[in-house]
Amino acid sequence: MIPETTLWFNLEVTAHRYPQRAACLFFGRRLSYAELHAQAEQLAGWLQAQGVGRGDRVALFMQNCPQFLVAFYAVQRADAVVVPVNPMNRADEFGHYIVDPATKVVITTAELAGVVAEADARLAPEQRLRGLLVTRYTDAMPEVLDEAEQPAPALQQWLQADPPLPAGATRWADALAAGHRPGPAQARPDDMALLPYTSGTTGLPKGCIHTHRTLMPNVIGGGLWGYSSAETVSLAVVPMFHITGMLYGVLAPVYIGSTSVVMPRWDRELAGRLISRHKVSHWTCIPTMIIDLFGSPNYQRFDLTSLRYLSGGGAAMPQAVAERLQHEFGLTFAEGYGLTETAAPSHANPPERAKLQCLGIPIFGVDSRIVDPVTLAELPPGEVGEIVTHGPMVFKGYWRHPDATAAAFIEIDGKPFFRTGDLGRRDEEGYFFITDRLKRMINASGYKVWPSEVELLLFKCPLVQEACIIAARDPYRGETVKAVVVLRAEARGHARPQDIIDWARQHMAVYKAPTQVEFVESLPKSGSGKVMWRALQERELAAPAPAP
């Protein structure tokens, strides 16, 4: 049974159970559960003083920091709804997150406050914000940083940024000191608690309606699956605005009463030192972070012996990298799978019996099937089709998009199943494997090529650090396979594109092997660490067509 309580109740219980335990550590400074609870109460009072009422939307626009946790639970205490926004957005994009959800207040950091103010100033008076609250990362940092906690110089300079406040904005410290007290908590399990936006494949981003009831299954189940307890120390580096970072950095730890070591941005050297120093036991990450950590000249000096549970998703873990992880550190990477619409995981690998390059099995309460994407008929094990999912963590629909909501669900055996848009298969043991996104397939002379499969094979090439596969136009084949490659350090300066092509032809079917290779210094990545293949694909399509 899932508790019929709210996210705020989770913090209340934990603050009473473990008042002095560190909820989080930020560059060595601790925020206890008692302090987190008290600050969230103070901030909730300030929000209500700005006119925020039950069900109103409040946007959180910041990188990972203790203030994100305080703000999140303050919004819940005020009976309102959190709208998490990717801090990579600029003013032209941010206006959508004010207008579409009718946001009343934005809570942000100093370096982003100008973005919010600029977006807000462009709006009609009736659409504009009622409040802008601004914090600085240094508000939650110690005055003097220990050597092991020192970020890279560029990151430290960014953390210390303190540009002038926009007109009418309120400082974080002033809001906490204002002395406002919130009214009695009124939120109920079926009230909306979270409205994260997902870009999908068409149009502007759409909000995904999540209630306390749809979030609680994964808040509890995510911790149980990874054997978390109040003694757990986790590394919170996946961005908290992202559904995965929110679940494993904001929601589940507070329910469990564990401690999170918070990183505002990925820094492989700092991550290695933090894991070593704070004896991190659980790390949910993006596979690209592991790949980058292996790229550090210092990685073998890091003490990773405290890690007991290493998991993640967003992209498949290359087998070659997983094998290095197992061989050098004795760690098994337990992949999982989920979407914003499923509040992060709907599938996960059992830690004690994980399969490589596998989504895992449906988690608690989930019924997942493979169906033909056209006829919607259910397919047997081994056949590739669309993954559809039914479970208690599935969202309630897209905010103000009833047609998109209706199109996102089908009925099987009298139950609504969410159409993920991902292609995959199920083996005889019930483990699911992803093939690719429905819209990402490359059609080369009638042969179907799934880019993620080619990417995983290329990771085995001794010249390749990272790779992204896209479609390139071809006058003969219609489309052909192009690899955008980041070379390993030792291969730079002497490896040729033809070397990659020759290796690929020896290790994969000829129709899958890239016919074009482009070397780049780095691949574009989203704030959550995923490779932005669409950006590369769009750039390729915008280039002049090749001569026949």
Side-chain angles (χ1 to χ4, degrees):
M1 290 287 291
I2 304 298
E4 297 197 15
T5 48
T6 65
L7 301 176
W8 170 254
F9 184 76
N10 293 346
L11 176 56
E12 276 204 313
V13 171
T14 297
H16 280 86
R17 282 178 173 167
Y18 312 113
Q20 300 311 313
R21 184 183 298 282
C24 65
L25 298 168
F26 192 59
F27 294 99
R29 183 172 170 181
R30 70 195 310 273
L31 178 73
S32 71
Y33 275 105
E35 291 169 325
L36 173 56
H37 183 270
Q39 290 183 24
E41 284 265 359
Q42 292 164 345
L43 190 54
W46 181 85
L47 286 169
Q48 290 185 343
Q50 312 312 304
V52 173
R54 185 176 180 183
D56 286 337
R57 275 72 61 196
V58 177
L60 304 190
F61 186 48
M62 60 180 76
Q63 302 281 6
N64 294 5
C65 57
Q67 297 95 314
F68 195 112
L69 275 77
V70 173
F72 182 92
Y73 284 97
V75 175
Q76 301 305 321
R77 176 62 181 86
D79 306 315
V81 179
V82 169
V83 180
V85 183
N86 186 337
M88 295 176 70
N89 278 289
R90 293 295 170 253
D92 288 343
E93 302 158 311
F94 193 83
H96 179 65
Y97 299 98
I98 300 176
V99 175
D100 191 68
T103 295
K104 283 196 171 181
V105 172
V106 173
I107 304 175
T108 189
T109 41
E111 85 285 7
L112 295 173
V115 173
V116 179
E118 183 181 347
D120 190 49
R122 298 175 182 176
L123 302 178
E126 66 275 11
Q127 296 175 318
R128 297 187 65 179
L129 297 169
R130 291 197 183 182
L132 174 60
L133 181 62
V134 181
T135 186
R136 299 166 298 182
Y137 297 102
T138 50
D139 290 340
M141 293 170 62
E143 290 186 11
V144 179
L145 295 182
D146 188 276
E147 185 177 349
E149 309 273 356
Q150 287 276 357
L155 177 57
Q156 185 157 348
Q157 184 178 3
W158 170 78
L159 288 165
Q160 294 171 337
D162 188 21
L165 254 64
T170 301
R171 281 277 189 199
W172 179 267
D174 294 337
L176 295 183
H180 296 294
R181 300 293 301 171
Q186 297 180 325
R188 296 293 178 265
D190 289 314
D191 286 355
M192 181 164 54
L194 184 67
L195 190 64
Y197 276 70
T198 182
S199 57
T201 54
T202 58
L204 291 168
K206 297 187 287 292
C208 298
I209 299 170
H210 276 291
T211 65
H212 297 271
R213 194 185 298 276
T214 63
L215 293 169
M216 283 293 283
N218 279 349
V219 169
I220 300 171
L224 289 174
W225 198 271
Y227 303 112
S228 293
S229 72
E231 303 301 318
T232 291
V233 178
S234 59
L235 186 65
V237 63
V238 176
M240 291 173 176
F241 79 84
H242 187 272
I243 193 66
T244 301
M246 179 163 288
L247 179 68
Y248 293 104
V250 179
L251 301 180
V254 167
Y255 175 81
I256 295 163
S258 62
T259 297
S260 298
V261 179
V262 176
M263 289 183 66
R265 282 184 175 176
W266 172 247
D267 176 335
R268 67 187 184 187
E269 308 301 324
L270 181 60
R273 295 198 306 271
L274 291 177
I275 293 170
S276 305
R277 177 169 193 172
H278 297 293
K279 304 301 179 187
V280 169
S281 60
H282 288 60
W283 183 17
T284 296
C285 63
I286 307 297
T288 50
M289 293 176 179
I290 302 290
I291 295 165
D292 193 38
L293 193 64
F294 275 147
S296 165
N298 302 310
Y299 85 93
Q300 289 184 315
R301 300 179 194 171
F302 299 141
D303 180 5
L304 306 186
T305 56
S306 60
L307 282 170
R308 301 197 312 272
Y309 183 62
L310 192 58
S311 65
M317 170 61 82
Q319 184 171 347
V321 178
E323 288 173 350
R324 284 183 70 189
L325 199 58
Q326 179 62 244
H327 175 71
E328 297 186 36
F329 297 103
L331 289 169
T332 298
F333 187 80
E335 293 183 52
Y337 167 77
L339 301 163
T340 304
E341 290 89 341
T342 62
S346 56
H347 300 66
N349 271 276
E352 64 278 5
R353 194 167 180 266
K355 295 186 179 184
L356 290 180
Q357 298 176 7
C358 173
L359 305 181
I361 61 176
I363 65 171
F364 309 110
V366 171
D367 181 358
S368 200
R369 316 277 182 97
I370 301 292
V371 302
D372 185 293
V374 178
T375 67
L376 304 181
E378 191 171 345
L379 299 174
E383 291 197 26
V384 173
E386 185 178 358
I387 301 170
V388 297
T389 297
H390 170 86
M393 69 289 293
V394 174
F395 76 139
K396 294 299 181 181
Y398 294 111
W399 173 258
R400 294 178 175 171
H401 283 276
D403 291 344
T405 299
F409 288 89
I410 60 172
E411 187 173 301
I412 303 175
D413 297 337
K415 298 187 296 187
F417 280 74
F418 172 65
R419 299 190 64 175
T420 67
D422 285 329
L423 291 176
R425 60 182 174 82
R426 177 172 56 88
D427 70 12
E428 295 290 347
E429 293 186 299
Y431 283 74
F432 282 68
F433 297 79
I434 196 166
T435 306
D436 223 316
R437 293 290 296 174
L438 272 172
K439 296 184 179 295
R440 202 185 168 195
M441 182 191 75
I442 298 172
N443 189 345
S445 296
Y447 288 99
K448 295 179 180 178
V449 179
W450 304 114
S452 61
E453 179 187 5
V454 180
E455 288 165 1
L456 292 172
L457 291 168
L458 277 181
F459 271 106
K460 296 181 179 181
C461 175
L463 303 174
V464 174
Q465 173 76 16
E466 288 186 276
C468 180
I469 297 298
I470 58 175
R473 286 171 293 188
D474 184 276
Y476 175 69
R477 304 171 81 191
E479 289 183 328
T480 191
V481 180
K482 178 175 179 176
V484 184
V485 169
V486 177
L487 290 170
R488 290 192 181 186
E490 60 270 23
R492 295 180 183 181
H494 60 83
R496 304 168 304 150
Q498 190 62 43
D499 296 332
I500 307 290
I501 294 171
D502 292 344
W503 184 93
R505 286 176 175 169
Q506 292 175 10
H507 292 86
M508 62 187 81
V510 66
Y511 73 90
K512 297 179 187 176
T515 61
Q516 300 179 26
V517 173
E518 176 187 354
F519 292 154
V520 294
E521 287 298 312
S522 62
L523 297 176
K525 294 187 175 76
S526 69
S528 60
K530 296 180 183 179
V531 174
M532 298 170 66
W533 65 267
R534 283 191 182 89
L536 294 172
Q537 185 65 75
E538 289 169 2
R539 185 196 67 176
E540 181 67 25
L541 293 176

